[in-house]
Amino acid sequence: MAPIVHRIPGLTLVDHEFTVPLDHARPDGEQITVFAREVTAAGADSSHLPWLVFFQGGPGGKSPRPTGRSGWIRRATADYRVLLLDQRGTGRSTPVTHRTLARRGDAAAQADYLKHFRADSIVRDAELIRAELAGPDVPWSILGQSYGGFCAVTYLSIAPAGLREVMITGGLPPLTASAEEVYRATYRRVLAQNRRYFERYPGDQERAGAVAAYLAEHDVRLPDGSPLTPRRFQQLGMAFGASDGFESVHYLLEEAFVEGPDGAELSETFLRGALEALSFAGRPIYAILHESIYCQGAASRWAAERVRAEYPEFEPAPGRPLLFTGEMIYPWMFELDPALQPMRAAAELLAEYDGWPPLYDVARLRANTVPVAAAVYYDDMYVERAFSEETAATIAGCRVWVTNEHQHNALRADGEAVLGRLLAMLRGEV
């Protein structure tokens, strides 16, 4: 079947579907589908241009859905044929949801299935796709944002011959740090972001405390029927690592309360906004595999929950200023979120699984010959800068741009400039 072609203002889009093994160690076993969208400048002959594959953040995030030639895609399509990859389990690729997992059988079968959805499998998918689209002997360029950068470093570790050049934004991963070490650093970053938030919006300390106190005294339900507890409310701080994250939380808190028939109560506007921010219905892989991205030969055993005990200031308590948490996944989320509840048993098995294979080859990275340019954001709340700088120093030839001009979402917020800077670094122009 010929690929489906769509044309939107400034861009030509071509849909591709590929069949890949669920388990690359068993190429003749069960097969799944991986979807990718080719993006080129409208009206131009792009057939001669090299490929640039985009690895989205996550884990469990689908690729962007372009609506026009803008942002980083505008800059990229000047020099490349862009391939937006829906990583396995996401978007139009064979999906992972609680409904599709139910078809696998019991919790053990579901957990075994999910073990094949980390960066190593994603990279091997990409290698099969590269051979089909570009040719087995033609390397391509890749751009990895956030978790996509983790995938890029895995790519450099297991299949560097397939790479022409690598660009990474906010996604140089810790190569050897344990999940516990990662979350200790993350909690410290989140504390700093709370301080900055309440300095910008000092009145929100009282507002946040009032919301938490109300939740502690009332059975409050979000529009999907799930409970909103003080701990779940704290998770709104996950937004704090983005350039517009403080504002998204502030504007939500501004409209938190209305006067109901029995006095002050939480508004429908607030509850709907909270549901949109807190539900994992559209990104279950993010929740169920998040801690595993830091695991190599060890179990996570709910590292974020265990390390939280070392930071008692995060516990909601009367008379204590409320702090928001960040990019942490807790076991109780699988009890409260309807999208995660059916996966609770599988999540417990994955948290105890200690057979995760290595994701990075330090010796190979030290001998790297692929050109690499990476943006590291000085105050990144999601990816610890110190770990990123250690990784950059390990990857031979890696050029690094450390900046406090941007937050973690810079590729989305100012993508044309960010990608332009990375390309200039690769070409020796800066």
Side-chain angles (χ1 to χ4, degrees):
M1 181 183 296
I4 296 174
V5 179
H6 300 281
R7 290 177 175 83
I8 63 175
L11 297 174
T12 299
L13 312 177
V14 182
D15 293 356
H16 296 275
E17 286 191 348
F18 306 91
T19 300
V20 301
L22 169 66
D23 181 354
H24 284 275
R26 298 176 59 243
D28 297 328
E30 180 180 351
Q31 304 291 298
I32 61 173
T33 297
V34 171
F35 172 81
R37 180 174 279 116
E38 178 183 348
V39 183
T40 56
D45 179 10
S46 303
S47 59
H48 64 288
L49 294 179
W51 287 96
L52 173 68
V53 185
F54 180 66
F55 289 84
Q56 170 70 0
K62 64 185 179 183
S63 253
R65 270 45 184 169
T67 57
R69 194 172 183 223
S70 61
W72 71 264
I73 288 179
R74 178 183 177 86
R75 179 64 187 86
T77 51
D79 294 343
Y80 299 95
R81 301 163 73 180
V82 175
L83 193 69
L84 300 176
L85 183 68
D86 276 357
Q87 298 165 17
R88 54 169 54 200
T90 74
R92 287 180 56 186
S93 298
T94 300
V96 168
T97 69
H98 70 85
R99 294 180 182 276
T100 63
L101 281 178
R103 299 179 63 239
R104 311 302 306 186
D106 62 13
Q110 294 176 24
D112 285 343
Y113 180 73
L114 288 164
K115 291 170 187 175
H116 301 295
F117 286 80
R118 294 202 310 163
D120 44 358
S121 296
I122 293 167
V123 166
R124 291 186 172 98
D125 292 343
E127 274 294 274
L128 292 179
I129 294 169
R130 180 184 65 84
E132 184 171 336
L133 281 184
D137 300 320
V138 180
W140 58 12
S141 303
I142 64 174
L143 169 63
Q145 157 64 17
S146 188
Y147 176 69
F150 288 37
C151 294
V153 177
T154 299
Y155 213 142
L156 284 167
S157 295
I158 66 178
L163 298 175
R164 177 174 176 256
E165 58 193 357
V166 173
M167 290 167 282
I168 296 170
T169 57
L172 281 172
L175 299 178
T176 58
S178 67
E180 290 84 358
E181 291 172 304
V182 168
Y183 285 111
R184 286 189 184 99
T186 303
Y187 277 113
R188 291 193 294 269
R189 287 284 185 189
V190 175
L191 283 172
Q193 287 297 86
N194 271 274
R195 184 180 66 252
R196 295 186 184 102
Y197 176 78
F198 289 117
E199 286 173 354
R200 182 177 297 183
Y201 298 113
D204 283 4
Q205 190 76 79
E206 183 178 348
R207 289 191 185 99
V211 172
Y214 186 89
L215 295 174
E217 297 171 1
H218 298 81
D219 178 15
V220 176
R221 300 283 161 163
L222 294 175
D224 66 350
S226 65
L228 181 60
T229 64
R231 269 189 145 206
R232 200 174 181 198
F233 166 62
Q234 287 178 287
Q235 286 189 280
L236 291 176
M238 190 178 292
F240 282 0
S243 58
D244 55 357
F246 286 179
E247 282 60 51
S248 68
V249 175
H250 170 66
Y251 294 139
L252 197 58
L253 287 178
E254 274 191 331
E255 301 181 72
F257 285 100
V258 294
E259 286 298 319
D262 298 317
E265 60 183 49
L266 291 173
S267 71
E268 193 71 18
T269 299
F270 173 80
L271 294 175
R272 288 191 177 278
L275 175 63
E276 183 178 350
L278 299 175
S279 172
F280 286 88
R283 46 180 181 154
I285 288 178
Y286 181 97
I288 201 165
L289 288 180
H290 196 272
E291 292 202 347
S292 79
I293 69 175
Y294 302 114
C295 295
Q296 302 178 89
S300 73
R301 296 188 298 112
W302 301 114
E305 177 76 3
R306 290 186 291 107
V307 173
R308 179 172 174 149
E310 301 173 18
Y311 296 87
E313 54 266 55
F314 281 104
E315 284 307 303
R320 176 187 296 163
L322 184 99
L323 296 178
F324 291 98
T325 53
E327 193 178 40
M328 294 87 171
I329 300 298
Y330 301 111
W332 49 262
M333 293 163 55
F334 289 84
E335 301 173 10
L336 302 184
D337 188 333
L340 300 181
Q341 287 169 353
M343 300 189 290
R344 179 181 176 185
E348 292 287 352
L349 292 174
L350 290 171
E352 296 298 327
Y353 180 63
D354 61 4
W356 299 109
L359 293 168
Y360 313 112
D361 185 330
V362 173
R364 180 167 277 180
L365 294 174
R366 285 178 174 150
N368 173 63
T369 59
V370 178
V372 180
V376 173
Y377 306 123
Y378 190 86
D379 295 315
D380 199 323
M381 191 182 80
Y382 306 117
V383 181
E384 169 60 37
R385 172 174 49 84
F387 293 145
S388 293
E389 290 179 327
E390 289 174 9
T391 298
T394 301
I395 302 172
C398 179
R399 302 195 65 185
V400 185
W401 169 36
V402 180
T403 176
N404 64 358
E405 299 174 49
H406 299 286
Q407 290 291 338
H408 187 79
N409 65 323
L411 191 66
R412 172 171 61 85
D414 195 13
E416 192 167 2
V418 169
L419 181 57
R421 172 68 181 255
L422 293 178
L423 287 169
M425 291 166 65
L426 288 174
R427 296 166 183 174
E429 298 169 0
V430 294

Coordinates of all heavy atoms in Angstrom, one line a residue, residues 138-194:
V138 N 23.3 3.6 5.0 CA 23.2 5.1 5.1 C 22.8 5.5 6.5 O 21.7 5.3 6.9 CB 22.1 5.6 4.1 CG1 22.0 7.1 4.1 CG2 22.4 5.1 2.7
P139 N 23.8 6.2 7.2 CA 23.4 6.7 8.5 C 22.5 7.9 8.5 O 22.5 8.6 7.4 CB 24.8 7.0 9.1 CG 25.6 7.3 7.9 CD 25.2 6.4 6.8
W140 N 21.8 8.1 9.5 CA 21.0 9.3 9.6 C 21.2 10.1 10.8 O 21.9 9.7 11.8 CB 19.5 9.0 9.4 CG 18.9 8.0 10.4 CD1 19.4 7.6 11.6 CD2 17.6 7.4 10.3 NE1 18.5 6.7 12.2 CE2 17.4 6.6 11.5 CE3 16.6 7.5 9.4 CZ2 16.2 5.8 11.7 CZ3 15.4 6.7 9.6 CH2 15.3 5.9 10.7
S141 N 20.7 11.3 10.9 CA 20.8 12.2 12.0 C 19.6 12.0 12.9 O 18.5 11.7 12.5 CB 20.9 13.7 11.5 OG 21.9 13.9 10.6
I142 N 19.9 12.3 14.2 CA 18.8 12.2 15.2 C 18.8 13.4 16.1 O 19.8 14.0 16.4 CB 18.8 10.9 16.0 CG1 20.1 10.8 16.9 CG2 18.7 9.7 15.1 CD1 20.1 9.6 17.8
L143 N 17.6 13.8 16.6 CA 17.4 14.8 17.5 C 16.5 14.3 18.7 O 15.4 13.8 18.4 CB 16.6 16.0 16.9 CG 16.1 17.1 17.8 CD1 17.2 17.8 18.5 CD2 15.2 18.1 17.0
G144 N 17.1 14.3 19.9 CA 16.4 13.8 21.0 C 16.1 14.9 22.1 O 17.0 15.6 22.5
Q145 N 14.8 15.0 22.4 CA 14.3 15.9 23.4 C 14.0 15.2 24.7 O 13.3 14.2 24.7 CB 13.1 16.7 22.9 CG 12.2 17.3 24.0 CD 12.9 18.4 24.8 OE1 13.9 19.0 24.4 NE2 12.3 18.7 26.0
S146 N 14.7 15.6 25.8 CA 14.4 15.0 27.1 C 14.6 13.5 27.1 O 15.7 13.1 26.8 CB 12.9 15.4 27.5 OG 12.7 15.0 28.9
Y147 N 13.6 12.7 27.4 CA 13.8 11.2 27.3 C 14.3 10.8 25.9 O 15.0 9.8 25.8 CB 12.5 10.5 27.6 CG 12.6 9.0 27.5 CD1 13.3 8.3 28.4 CD2 11.9 8.4 26.5 CE1 13.4 6.9 28.2 CE2 11.9 7.0 26.4 CZ 12.7 6.3 27.2 OH 12.8 4.9 27.1
G148 N 13.9 11.6 24.9 CA 14.5 11.3 23.6 C 16.0 11.4 23.5 O 16.6 10.7 22.7
G149 N 16.5 12.3 24.4 CA 18.0 12.3 24.5 C 18.6 11.1 25.2 O 19.6 10.6 24.8
F150 N 17.8 10.5 26.1 CA 18.2 9.3 26.7 C 18.3 8.2 25.6 O 19.3 7.4 25.6 CB 17.2 8.8 27.8 CG 17.2 9.6 29.1 CD1 17.4 11.0 29.1 CD2 17.0 9.0 30.3 CE1 17.4 11.7 30.3 CE2 16.9 9.6 31.5 CZ 17.2 11.0 31.5
C151 N 17.3 8.2 24.7 CA 17.3 7.2 23.6 C 18.5 7.5 22.7 O 19.1 6.5 22.2 CB 16.0 7.4 22.8 SG 14.5 6.9 23.7
A152 N 18.8 8.7 22.5 CA 19.9 9.1 21.6 C 21.3 8.5 22.2 O 22.1 8.0 21.4 CB 20.0 10.6 21.4
V153 N 21.4 8.6 23.5 CA 22.7 8.1 24.1 C 22.7 6.6 24.1 O 23.7 5.9 23.9 CB 22.9 8.6 25.5 CG1 24.1 8.1 26.2 CG2 23.0 10.2 25.5
T154 N 21.5 5.9 24.2 CA 21.4 4.5 24.0 C 21.8 4.1 22.6 O 22.5 3.1 22.3 CB 20.0 4.0 24.4 OG1 19.7 4.3 25.7 CG2 19.9 2.5 24.1
Y155 N 21.3 4.9 21.6 CA 21.6 4.7 20.2 C 23.1 4.8 20.0 O 23.7 3.9 19.3 CB 20.9 5.8 19.4 CG 20.5 5.4 18.0 CD1 19.3 5.9 17.5 CD2 21.3 4.5 17.2 CE1 18.8 5.5 16.2 CE2 20.8 4.2 15.9 CZ 19.6 4.7 15.4 OH 19.2 4.3 14.2
L156 N 23.8 5.8 20.6 CA 25.3 5.8 20.5 C 25.9 4.7 21.1 O 27.1 4.3 20.7 CB 25.7 7.1 21.2 CG 25.5 8.4 20.4 CD1 25.7 9.6 21.4 CD2 26.4 8.5 19.2
S157 N 25.3 4.0 22.1 CA 25.9 2.9 22.8 C 25.7 1.6 22.1 O 26.6 0.7 22.2 CB 25.2 2.8 24.2 OG 25.5 3.9 25.0
I158 N 24.6 1.4 21.3 CA 24.4 0.1 20.8 C 24.4 0.0 19.3 O 24.5 -1.0 18.7 CB 23.0 -0.6 21.3 CG1 21.8 0.2 20.8 CG2 23.0 -0.6 22.8 CD1 20.5 -0.4 21.3
A159 N 24.2 1.2 18.6 CA 24.2 1.2 17.1 C 24.8 2.5 16.5 O 24.2 3.1 15.7 CB 22.8 0.9 16.6
P160 N 26.0 2.9 16.9 CA 26.5 4.1 16.5 C 26.8 4.2 15.0 O 26.8 5.3 14.4 CB 27.9 4.3 17.2 CG 28.2 2.9 17.6 CD 27.0 2.2 17.8
A161 N 27.0 3.0 14.3 CA 27.2 3.0 12.9 C 26.0 3.5 12.1 O 26.1 3.9 11.0 CB 27.5 1.6 12.4
G162 N 24.8 3.5 12.7 CA 23.6 4.0 12.1 C 23.5 5.5 12.2 O 22.5 6.1 11.7
L163 N 24.4 6.2 12.8 CA 24.2 7.6 13.1 C 25.2 8.5 12.3 O 26.4 8.3 12.3 CB 24.4 7.9 14.6 CG 23.4 7.2 15.5 CD1 23.7 7.4 17.0 CD2 22.0 7.7 15.2
R164 N 24.7 9.5 11.7 CA 25.5 10.6 11.1 C 25.9 11.7 12.0 O 27.0 12.2 12.0 CB 24.7 11.1 9.9 CG 25.3 12.2 9.1 CD 24.4 12.5 7.9 NE 24.9 13.7 7.1 CZ 24.4 14.9 7.1 NH1 23.3 15.1 7.9 NH2 24.9 15.8 6.4
E165 N 24.9 12.1 12.8 CA 25.2 13.1 13.8 C 24.0 13.1 14.8 O 22.9 12.6 14.5 CB 25.2 14.5 13.2 CG 24.0 14.9 12.4 CD 24.1 16.1 11.5 OE1 25.2 16.7 11.5 OE2 23.1 16.4 10.8
V166 N 24.3 13.6 16.0 CA 23.3 13.5 17.1 C 23.1 14.9 17.8 O 24.1 15.6 18.1 CB 23.7 12.5 18.2 CG1 22.8 12.5 19.4 CG2 23.8 11.1 17.6
M167 N 21.9 15.3 18.0 CA 21.6 16.5 18.7 C 20.7 16.2 19.9 O 19.7 15.4 19.7 CB 21.0 17.6 17.8 CG 21.9 18.2 16.8 SD 21.1 19.1 15.5 CE 20.5 17.8 14.4
I168 N 20.9 16.8 21.0 CA 20.2 16.4 22.3 C 19.8 17.7 23.0 O 20.7 18.6 23.1 CB 21.0 15.5 23.2 CG1 21.3 14.2 22.5 CG2 20.3 15.3 24.5 CD1 22.3 13.3 23.3
T169 N 18.6 17.8 23.4 CA 18.1 19.0 24.1 C 17.5 18.6 25.4 O 16.5 17.8 25.5 CB 17.0 19.8 23.3 OG1 15.9 18.9 23.0 CG2 17.6 20.3 22.0
G170 N 18.2 19.0 26.5 CA 17.7 18.6 27.9 C 17.5 17.2 28.1 O 16.6 16.8 28.8
G171 N 18.5 16.4 27.6 CA 18.3 14.9 27.7 C 19.6 14.1 27.8 O 19.6 13.0 27.3
L172 N 20.6 14.6 28.3 CA 21.8 13.8 28.6 C 21.6 13.1 29.9 O 21.5 13.6 30.9 CB 23.1 14.7 28.7 CG 23.7 15.2 27.3 CD1 24.8 16.2 27.6 CD2 24.2 14.0 26.5
P173 N 21.4 11.7 29.8 CA 21.0 11.0 31.0 C 22.2 10.6 31.9 O 23.3 10.7 31.5 CB 20.5 9.7 30.3 CG 21.4 9.5 29.1 CD 21.7 10.9 28.6
P174 N 21.9 10.3 33.2 CA 22.9 9.7 34.0 C 23.3 8.3 33.5 O 22.4 7.5 33.3 CB 22.2 9.7 35.4 CG 20.7 9.6 35.1 CD 20.5 10.4 33.8
L175 N 24.5 8.1 33.4 CA 25.0 6.8 32.8 C 25.0 5.7 33.8 O 24.7 4.5 33.5 CB 26.4 7.0 32.2 CG 26.4 7.9 31.0 CD1 27.9 8.0 30.5 CD2 25.5 7.5 29.9
T176 N 25.4 6.0 35.1 CA 25.6 5.0 36.1 C 24.8 5.3 37.4 O 24.8 4.4 38.3 CB 27.1 4.8 36.4 OG1 27.6 6.0 36.8 CG2 27.8 4.3 35.1
A177 N 24.3 6.4 37.5 CA 23.6 6.8 38.8 C 22.4 5.9 39.0 O 21.7 5.5 38.1 CB 23.2 8.2 38.8
S178 N 22.2 5.5 40.3 CA 21.0 4.7 40.6 C 19.8 5.6 40.6 O 19.8 6.8 40.6 CB 21.2 4.1 42.0 OG 21.2 5.1 43.0
A179 N 18.6 4.9 40.6 CA 17.3 5.7 40.7 C 17.3 6.5 42.0 O 16.8 7.6 42.0 CB 16.2 4.7 40.6
E180 N 17.8 6.0 43.1 CA 17.8 6.7 44.3 C 18.7 8.0 44.2 O 18.2 9.1 44.6 CB 18.4 5.9 45.5 CG 17.5 4.7 45.9 CD 17.6 3.5 45.0 OE1 18.4 3.5 44.0 OE2 17.0 2.5 45.3
E181 N 19.8 7.9 43.6 CA 20.7 9.1 43.4 C 20.0 10.1 42.5 O 20.0 11.3 42.7 CB 22.0 8.7 42.8 CG 22.9 7.9 43.7 CD 24.1 7.3 43.0 OE1 24.0 6.6 42.0 OE2 25.2 7.6 43.4
V182 N 19.3 9.6 41.5 CA 18.6 10.5 40.6 C 17.5 11.3 41.3 O 17.4 12.5 41.2 CB 17.9 9.7 39.4 CG1 17.0 10.6 38.6 CG2 19.0 9.2 38.5
Y183 N 16.7 10.6 42.2 CA 15.6 11.3 42.9 C 16.1 12.2 44.0 O 15.4 13.2 44.3 CB 14.6 10.2 43.3 CG 13.8 9.7 42.2 CD1 13.9 8.4 41.7 CD2 12.9 10.6 41.5 CE1 13.2 8.0 40.6 CE2 12.2 10.1 40.4 CZ 12.3 8.8 40.0 OH 11.6 8.4 38.9
R184 N 17.2 11.8 44.6 CA 17.7 12.8 45.6 C 18.1 14.1 44.9 O 17.8 15.2 45.4 CB 19.0 12.2 46.3 CG 18.7 11.1 47.3 CD 19.9 10.7 48.1 NE 19.5 9.6 48.9 CZ 19.8 8.3 48.6 NH1 20.4 8.0 47.5 NH2 19.4 7.3 49.4
A185 N 18.7 14.0 43.8 CA 19.0 15.3 43.0 C 17.7 16.0 42.6 O 17.6 17.2 42.6 CB 19.9 14.9 41.8
T186 N 16.7 15.2 42.2 CA 15.5 15.8 41.7 C 14.8 16.5 42.8 O 14.2 17.6 42.6 CB 14.6 14.7 41.1 OG1 15.3 14.0 40.0 CG2 13.3 15.3 40.5
Y187 N 14.7 15.9 44.0 CA 14.0 16.6 45.1 C 14.7 17.9 45.4 O 14.0 18.9 45.7 CB 14.0 15.7 46.3 CG 12.8 14.6 46.3 CD1 13.1 13.3 46.2 CD2 11.5 15.1 46.4 CE1 12.0 12.3 46.2 CE2 10.5 14.1 46.4 CZ 10.7 12.8 46.3 OH 9.7 11.9 46.3
R188 N 16.0 17.9 45.4 CA 16.7 19.2 45.6 C 16.3 20.2 44.6 O 16.1 21.4 44.9 CB 18.2 18.9 45.7 CG 18.7 18.1 46.9 CD 20.2 18.2 47.0 NE 20.9 17.6 45.9 CZ 21.3 16.3 45.9 NH1 21.0 15.5 46.9 NH2 21.9 15.8 44.9
R189 N 16.3 19.8 43.3 CA 15.9 20.8 42.3 C 14.4 21.3 42.5 O 14.1 22.4 42.3 CB 16.0 20.1 40.9 CG 17.4 19.9 40.4 CD 18.0 21.1 39.9 NE 19.3 20.9 39.4 CZ 20.1 21.9 39.0 NH1 19.8 23.1 39.1 NH2 21.3 21.6 38.5
V190 N 13.6 20.3 42.9 CA 12.2 20.7 43.1 C 12.0 21.7 44.3 O 11.2 22.6 44.2 CB 11.3 19.5 43.3 CG1 9.9 19.9 43.6 CG2 11.3 18.6 42.0
L191 N 12.8 21.5 45.3 CA 12.8 22.5 46.4 C 13.2 23.9 45.9 O 12.6 24.9 46.3 CB 13.8 22.0 47.5 CG 13.3 20.9 48.4 CD1 14.5 20.4 49.3 CD2 12.2 21.4 49.3
A192 N 14.2 23.9 45.0 CA 14.6 25.2 44.5 C 13.6 25.8 43.6 O 13.3 27.0 43.7 CB 15.9 25.0 43.7
Q193 N 12.9 25.0 42.9 CA 11.8 25.5 42.0 C 10.6 26.0 42.8 O 10.0 27.0 42.5 CB 11.3 24.5 41.0 CG 12.3 24.2 39.9 CD 12.5 25.4 39.0 OE1 13.4 26.3 39.3 NE2 11.8 25.5 37.9
N194 N 10.3 25.3 43.9 CA 9.3 25.8 44.8 C 9.6 27.2 45.4 O 8.8 28.1 45.4 CB 9.1 24.9 46.0 CG 8.0 23.8 45.7 OD1 6.8 24.0 45.9 ND2 8.5 22.7 45.2

